[in-house]
Amino acid sequence: MSFRISGTGSRLAEKVVTNDDLAKIMDTSDEWISTRTGIRSRHISTYETAGYLAVEAAKSALSDSGLKAEDIDCVICATMRGDTFTPATACKVSEELGIRAPAYDVNAACSGMIYAFDIADGYIRSGKYENILVVTVEQMSKLVDWEDRASCVLFGDGAGAVVLQKGDGLKGIHISCAPSTTMIYGDSFCGTSIYNTTQEAKPVLHMQGQEVYKFAVSAMMAEVDAVLERAGLTTADIDYFLPHQANMRIIDGAAKRLGLKPERVLTNIQTCGNMSATSISVLLDEYAKKNTFKRGDKLLLVAFGAGMTSGACIVEWQA
Ligand code: UT7
């Protein structure tokens, strides 16, 4: 017995920045960004902290699940960087929601939510916990290099949350890492050690776009094949495909190779851009709130990201 999804929530940063807005402050255009990526606008934090976004998403998911703070056995937050490197953003969520349970963050870049689901699967399967709150939050606008037009235009900010309860909704899950630490990486602040001899680099995200692009489609295909096999299903059994929202051309390429009809492929990249670990969780909440999913529908979630991590899971909708 693993888990079922019993509640979802999300919170996007309020300010919407369009491609035309960006074209006013850097050498880019709506035409370049939209044809290369499918992105038209993204949400960018102004007054919001990562903690604020995470807490709002978590409150919404908890209320949607019908559970109370005291029912939650563990909080796992997938993020590349919260407001503080310690304590974990999951602790902020627990503090604000009044949860008294183990709480910690995981960093698997854009695959973070699937990695957190895999941890939750292990906990629930072992009988250790029954109700787990998974939160995802990224403020990509605070990580990217705003002088690098090839990467800063791609990303957005937001948080998502999912309440996982003991149940038989999870049909299969698979995570991987093909180790490479140079395709996408973000330098960290070096601190003030007087003994440090390593070079202080600009603490921003670096990405080799074309290398990542090549990795993306094959990694997604490999994860999908692995998880379908684990679940004993085929693509014909999948009702909705929720891929990581990195690039519309990557999504279209994957959907075509899987033979999925366009109406089965869910996207929000047009208005959200790439929100790393939080892309799929916001997408899930968005379509859950639109009542797109019917009981028994099988959702295939797949992601890839820095590391290079990847992962996929198949969840039957039982809410
Ligand atoms: O979750 C993280 C995962 N990340 C990804 O999945 C990213 C995967 N990669 C991609 O999506 C694409 O590689 C990008 C969208 C990042 C870039 O698209 P591309 O078709 O690979 O473009 P490119 O990097 O080869 O650049 C082509 C041209 C260059 O100009 P020249 O050298 O041909 O004159 C760039 O300088 O486009 C130029 N360029 C831009 N022009 C206008 C790069 N960024 C921009 C920009 N606006 N924002």
Side-chain angles (χ1 to χ4, degrees):
M1 179 72 76
S2 182
F3 63 70
R4 66 185 176 87
I5 291 175
S6 69
T8 62
S10 61
R11 176 59 69 103
L12 295 168
E14 203 176 309
K15 185 173 180 59
V16 173
V17 176
T18 65
N19 293 345
D20 286 333
D21 292 332
L22 292 178
K24 288 180 196 141
I25 56 168
M26 65 183 78
D27 182 15
T28 191
S29 63
D30 176 53
E31 203 269 332
W32 192 94
I33 302 172
S34 57
T35 54
R36 301 254 173 172
T37 69
I39 301 165
R40 306 306 296 243
S41 61
R42 71 288 289 141
H43 294 255
I44 300 288
S45 305
T46 52
Y47 65 90
E48 301 96 340
T49 61
Y52 169 81
L53 294 171
V55 165
E56 292 305 308
K59 275 184 195 163
S60 165
L62 193 62
S63 145
D64 191 38
S65 73
L67 292 184
K68 305 240 169 315
E70 54 268 31
D71 299 322
I72 298 297
D73 300 317
C74 183
V75 181
I76 306 171
C77 178
T79 185
M80 289 195 288
R81 199 190 75 179
D83 303 315
T84 50
F85 61 78
T86 196
T89 304
C91 302
K92 175 74 177 169
V93 169
S94 293
E95 183 179 41
E96 296 290 328
L97 270 67
I99 295 170
R100 291 286 172 271
Y104 59 92
D105 291 357
V106 294
N107 180 351
C110 307
S111 312
M113 185 169 99
I114 311 280
Y115 270 58
F117 276 16
D118 192 63
I119 298 166
D121 175 42
Y123 278 147
I124 294 174
R125 233 173 244 286
S126 74
K128 191 165 190 175
Y129 300 137
E130 291 196 359
N131 305 317
I132 298 180
L133 173 61
V134 171
V135 186
T136 62
V137 62
E138 301 284 19
Q139 285 189 308
M140 299 305 294
S141 66
K142 295 181 180 175
L143 305 182
V144 296
D145 182 354
W146 283 92
E147 289 172 358
D148 175 14
R149 64 176 182 170
S151 62
C152 70
V153 303
L154 306 175
F155 296 97
D157 301 344
V162 185
V163 175
L164 303 177
Q165 277 189 258
K166 187 175 171 180
D168 64 355
L170 183 71
K171 300 301 171 196
I173 188 159
H174 188 272
I175 57 172
S176 313
C177 178
S180 164
T181 55
T182 52
M183 261 193 256
I184 314 175
Y185 66 96
D187 290 299
S188 203
F189 135 86
C190 284
T192 58
S193 168
I194 55 167
Y195 302 103
N196 177 38
T197 57
T198 63
Q199 201 169 353
E200 181 98 30
K202 199 174 175 187
V204 291
L205 193 83
H206 306 271
M207 187 174 72
Q208 296 173 25
Q210 292 190 351
E211 292 306 305
V212 177
Y213 196 106
K214 282 181 224 150
F215 170 83
V217 179
S218 59
M220 282 165 88
M221 289 301 117
E223 291 302 337
V224 168
D225 286 346
V227 81
L228 284 170
E229 192 185 329
R230 247 175 215 196
L233 299 171
T234 69
T235 46
D237 300 307
I238 300 302
D239 296 290
Y240 291 101
F241 181 49
L242 290 84
H244 175 44
Q245 305 287 295
N247 185 317
M248 201 58 215
R249 289 186 293 148
I250 295 175
I251 296 170
D252 286 343
K256 199 171 164 197
R257 281 165 71 168
L258 291 169
L260 293 169
K261 291 196 183 117
E263 60 271 25
R264 298 289 169 198
V265 181
L266 305 187
T267 61
N268 62 7
I269 187 170
Q270 301 83 350
T271 54
C272 292
N274 178 347
M275 297 190 293
S276 184
T278 217
S279 269
I280 309 181
S281 51
V282 169
L283 188 66
L284 179 71
D285 182 51
E286 196 181 312
Y287 283 90
K289 296 286 154 61
K290 284 184 196 165
N291 291 319
T292 301
F293 311 132
K294 304 283 168 275
R295 206 178 160 77
D297 278 350
K298 291 192 182 60
L299 318 184
L300 170 57
L301 285 57
V302 59
F304 63 91
M308 299 296 289
T309 60
S310 53
C313 67
I314 297 171
V315 185
E316 187 178 273
W317 193 252
Q318 298 181 343

